[in-house]
Amino acid sequence: MRKVQMMWRHNNNMIAVVQKMMLLLIFVQLFTKCHSLAQEHFSVAPMMAHTNRHYHTFFRFFSQHAHLYTEMIPAEKIVSLYNSNEDIESNEALQELLGINSAITTNSNMNMNRGPIILQLGGGNPQSLALASEVGARMGYSGINLNCGCPSNAVSGRSGGCALMRNASHVAECVERMSESIANNVNGNGNVELSVKHRLGVRDASTYDAEHDKQQTDDQAYQECEEFIQTITENSKVQKLQVHARLGLLGDFTPERTEALWTPNSSSEQRKRPGDTHDTIKIDHKREQYKAKYLARKATIHNRSVPPLRPNVINRLAKTYPHLDFVTNGGIKSMEGLHHRVDETNNVMGAMVGRSVINHPCSFSHADGLWGGALPQWTREDVILSHIQYCIEEEERCKGHCGSFRDGLR
């Protein structure tokens, strides 16, 4: 009898041990899954006039886990709106600018979570970036990203975007202030991740020799980018970097205008300054604005193709800094191209895709497979009809306080 009791106790102990091991295994699996979902295996790059919250709503039909970025939003604009009313919940202008759609509910059969959404900030003022980061964290963004990669004259001309790479120490100060602000935000949300999107380096567009650059090895680009990364990650909590595998070209690609500008209330003789050897002309402000936009657009297009693509530099960086997460960007046009750029051998976490996702969203409908997730089952007709319904509801919402539908979409 005693032997039977001992065997019974022994069996009970074994069952308890097995149950604990099973619970531990389930916990480990859940933790691993959550950690995996937080990894940026695939993301949609921030693009002006495209990646707003309405686009986020649309792309969630194709991927539940893709990391979606906002358009670049100037930190100064966020600060200005916040200072006008520090109660975020009642600040309609701030909600319209930064508000996140919590879920897609236009069709009961297609409800989806919002997934990871990252706020990209533009600017170079550490104080403004810090406050804007806090506001973004309080409003529920999964991450905050600093734009150090946009080569547009409209951005770099204001010492933002790609121009920030010329002063890595200043960027380090910015991200340090941003990380402190995120950590101290009132909601205590410790899951908000800080990252930096940048290029391999910067050059002056007017003197850049593309043919000469194409003949060079990756060594110079690697060294320049490595120095930038070392500086900005040394004292901050930046653990993730989205790197466009090209140089950024700053400035105009055409020679500067040689004629002087006419100013009001000046006579023919007054218009000429000592040493002037050319005639003056009257300013046509509309034309000047058009030309500025044209040159900015031209610079952006040139930056997509003129500098050679060097993805191997990012692979080398990922091996040099194994404690950092690298997301490669530039030149990826399909899921096949993504798999070619990201594999287990190069230590790169994932890939960021821009225009190809905008132009061909269905081509990336299998992105959730990168996280081991289920693939979308609905048809293109389902997506179109559901998004039409969303647009109708959004138009009705905007009639109440946005002034017009177009205003509401921004």
Side-chain angles (χ1 to χ4, degrees):
M1 187 62 154
R2 187 175 180 182
K3 185 180 286 188
V4 172
Q5 289 177 341
M6 290 180 65
M7 290 179 65
W8 179 258
R9 289 176 183 172
H10 177 71
N11 289 339
N12 284 342
N13 289 338
M14 288 295 294
I15 292 173
V17 171
V18 171
Q19 288 176 336
K20 289 180 180 179
M21 291 181 66
M22 291 179 66
L23 288 172
L24 179 61
L25 180 61
I26 292 172
F27 174 78
V28 171
Q29 289 175 337
L30 288 173
F31 176 80
T32 303
K33 183 178 181 180
C34 291
H35 179 68
S36 175
L37 291 177
Q39 294 181 332
E40 192 172 329
H41 296 312
F42 170 76
S43 55
V44 178
M47 287 172 282
M48 297 300 292
H50 286 294
T51 55
N52 51 36
R53 59 191 177 90
H54 310 288
Y55 175 80
H56 297 162
T57 302
F58 172 72
F59 195 75
R60 280 295 172 229
F61 290 119
F62 302 95
S63 172
Q64 291 283 283
H65 305 310
H67 289 231
L68 305 180
Y69 285 71
T70 67
E71 304 171 90
M72 185 206 70
I73 300 178
E76 297 287 353
K77 185 173 185 178
I78 296 174
V79 170
S80 175
L81 293 177
Y82 176 76
N83 287 337
S84 67
N85 178 7
E86 296 185 4
D87 182 2
I88 292 178
E89 294 298 325
S90 65
N91 191 326
E92 291 188 0
L94 195 59
Q95 288 290 338
E96 194 61 34
L97 178 68
L98 297 180
I100 305 175
N101 293 338
S102 59
I104 300 171
T105 57
T106 55
N107 186 321
S108 59
N109 296 320
M110 299 180 70
N111 288 346
M112 294 172 286
N113 293 327
R114 71 187 185 199
I117 300 178
I118 297 89
L119 170 63
Q120 188 185 66
L121 297 176
N125 183 299
Q127 291 78 20
S128 297
L129 288 168
L131 181 53
S133 297
E134 179 187 335
V135 172
R138 289 171 59 185
M139 294 191 71
Y141 281 92
S142 308
I144 308 295
N145 179 264
L146 177 61
N147 182 344
C148 292
C150 180
S152 169
N153 295 347
V155 178
S156 60
R158 297 184 176 93
S159 301
C162 215
L164 287 171
M165 290 194 70
R166 286 176 166 170
N167 191 345
S169 297
H170 180 70
V171 176
E173 180 186 356
C174 290
V175 293
E176 186 174 358
R177 294 291 297 274
M178 292 168 72
S179 62
E180 291 173 356
S181 183
I182 292 172
N184 297 329
N185 82 81
V186 295
N187 286 345
N189 186 354
N191 297 323
V192 179
E193 188 174 38
L194 177 62
S195 61
V196 177
K197 187 177 187 299
H198 61 90
R199 294 201 171 218
L200 300 182
V202 291
R203 298 289 186 275
D204 189 336
S206 62
T207 58
Y208 175 73
D209 187 340
E211 293 304 317
H212 175 75
D213 191 14
K214 290 176 183 177
Q215 297 172 7
Q216 306 306 304
T217 66
D218 291 343
D219 292 343
Q220 184 178 357
Y222 169 81
Q223 182 179 356
E224 184 174 346
C225 193
E226 194 271 337
E227 290 175 357
F228 178 78
I229 290 172
Q230 184 178 31
T231 302
I232 69 171
T233 60
E234 189 173 9
N235 297 316
S236 72
K237 294 183 179 180
V238 174
Q239 294 295 312
K240 184 189 293 183
L241 301 162
Q242 296 83 11
V243 188
H244 191 137
R246 287 188 176 95
L247 294 173
L249 307 181
L250 300 176
D252 295 335
F253 287 80
T254 54
E256 293 184 5
R257 179 174 48 197
T258 57
E259 66 269 16
L261 295 178
W262 173 84
T263 56
N265 302 321
S266 60
S267 65
S268 176
E269 292 300 321
Q270 288 174 331
R271 289 179 221 155
K272 286 200 173 186
R273 295 169 297 182
D276 279 351
T277 58
H278 47 261
D279 293 331
T280 57
I281 61 172
K282 181 179 179 180
I283 299 175
D284 183 338
H285 292 285
K286 278 194 173 181
R287 182 173 176 78
E288 292 303 314
Q289 290 174 355
Y290 172 79
K291 288 176 69 175
K293 289 181 179 179
Y294 170 77
L295 290 175
R297 177 66 176 166
K298 185 177 180 181
T300 301
I301 294 173
H302 274 65
N303 269 278
R304 293 175 187 160
S305 57
V306 174
L309 194 68
R310 300 184 186 275
N312 288 333
V313 172
I314 303 175
N315 299 343
R316 289 174 61 181
L317 291 166
K319 292 179 179 179
T320 304
Y321 296 95
H323 61 288
L324 298 177
D325 295 329
F326 284 86
V327 177
T328 185
N329 173 230
I332 300 172
K333 299 181 179 180
S334 64
M335 286 298 295
E336 183 181 358
L338 185 151
H339 287 296
H340 179 71
R341 289 274 289 275
V342 181
D343 57 47
E344 296 178 355
T345 63
N346 59 22
N347 206 35
V348 174
M349 172 183 284
M352 174 180 280
V353 186
R355 288 167 298 127
S356 295
V357 178
I358 297 295
N359 296 332
H360 308 287
C362 294
S363 299
F364 295 88
S365 61
H366 287 188
D368 282 355
L370 298 169
W371 289 271
L375 301 181
Q377 300 299 315
W378 37 80
T379 65
R380 297 188 184 200
E381 181 182 9
D382 293 333
V383 173
I384 293 172
L385 291 177
S386 292
H387 200 63
I388 288 174
Q389 182 61 32
Y390 166 80
C391 291
I392 292 172
E393 293 175 3
E394 193 65 15
E395 184 174 15
E396 289 299 318
R397 182 188 70 82
C398 289
K399 284 180 180 178
H401 62 276
C402 297
S404 71
F405 182 48
R406 177 175 292 181
D407 293 336
L409 287 178
R410 298 301 300 163

